[in-house]
Amino acid sequence: MDKIKICEAMYALPGGVVVRRRKSLVAPVVLFAVGAALLVLNSVYSAVLTNNMRSALVFIGACLALTGAILCAVRGFGSTGAPYYSAGRCYLGYDELYFDRSEIAAVTESIAAGNLSRLLTMPRAQVPAVTVCMYRSRDNGFVAMQAFEYVDLEYRPLTGGFFIERNAACGGVIE
């Protein structure tokens, strides 16, 4: 189960259906700004505030500012991007579905038919004997999935990669 290989296969789809894109820096910058504002409020109103309130402002402000700074650094200087579905204008989320070994035929049949709703309604297991790895948009407008079986301490592919793009009414195999 190599997420990088699945992503590379999606990036290679014709027409730029899925592209690598960095996530926005807006949320981390806002976190940093709110944290810094709380620290400034603590220093401006230190005479009026109780010790407990000052401690809380410093703790919360420092945590928010530090989190925002770390997220800014990771998103700004990180070497990889996240899979972005161009037509749906959204990032793809990663899910893993676990099934019992007795469901191998149903899982492979569902993936070959591109039947995502059947996969999502099948009974799940707690142990990943059969795992379906998928990247999908929130509205399921695009889904890329592949099934793996856990055998001899490794995951072996049961199916090839398969993608479904509902808006374009197409689907196919990812090689």
Side-chain angles (χ1 to χ4, degrees):
M1 289 189 329
D2 191 358
K3 291 186 201 180
I4 295 172
K5 287 182 182 177
I6 295 171
C7 287
E8 293 299 327
M10 288 188 301
Y11 300 147
L13 290 172
V17 176
V18 177
V19 295
R20 183 181 315 207
R21 187 171 176 187
R22 290 181 190 248
K23 290 192 175 185
S24 173
L25 289 174
V26 172
V29 168
V30 168
L31 276 176
F32 181 78
V34 168
L38 289 176
L39 292 173
V40 169
L41 280 174
N42 178 52
S43 65
V44 170
Y45 294 109
S46 62
V48 180
L49 299 173
T50 65
N51 282 340
N52 288 340
M53 183 59 85
R54 287 178 53 209
S55 296
L57 282 176
V58 168
F59 178 72
I60 293 171
C63 287
L64 288 176
L66 185 63
T67 302
I70 291 171
L71 285 176
C72 279
V74 168
R75 287 187 184 178
F77 299 113
S79 62
T80 61
Y84 183 79
Y85 176 48
S86 303
R89 295 185 184 146
C90 64
Y91 290 95
L92 299 178
Y94 180 76
D95 287 325
E96 287 184 358
L97 307 177
Y98 303 138
F99 300 99
D100 287 327
R101 230 176 264 290
S102 62
E103 300 287 335
I104 288 178
V107 167
T108 55
E109 181 182 302
S110 297
I111 290 175
N115 193 347
L116 177 65
S117 58
R118 180 178 176 198
L119 270 176
L120 294 175
T121 57
M122 287 175 59
R124 305 242 178 95
Q126 297 296 321
V127 178
V130 175
T131 303
V132 176
C133 300
M134 66 175 62
Y135 278 95
R136 63 183 175 151
S137 60
R138 280 183 234 126
D139 64 350
N140 294 330
F142 179 87
V143 179
M145 56 189 155
Q146 186 173 9
F148 296 90
E149 180 180 19
Y150 189 74
V151 179
D152 296 333
L153 302 175
E154 69 177 0
Y155 285 100
R156 294 189 184 152
L158 283 173
T159 63
F162 190 84
F163 77 93
I164 306 164
E165 187 176 5
R166 300 213 189 287
N167 298 341
C170 69
V173 175
I174 299 175
E175 298 187 20

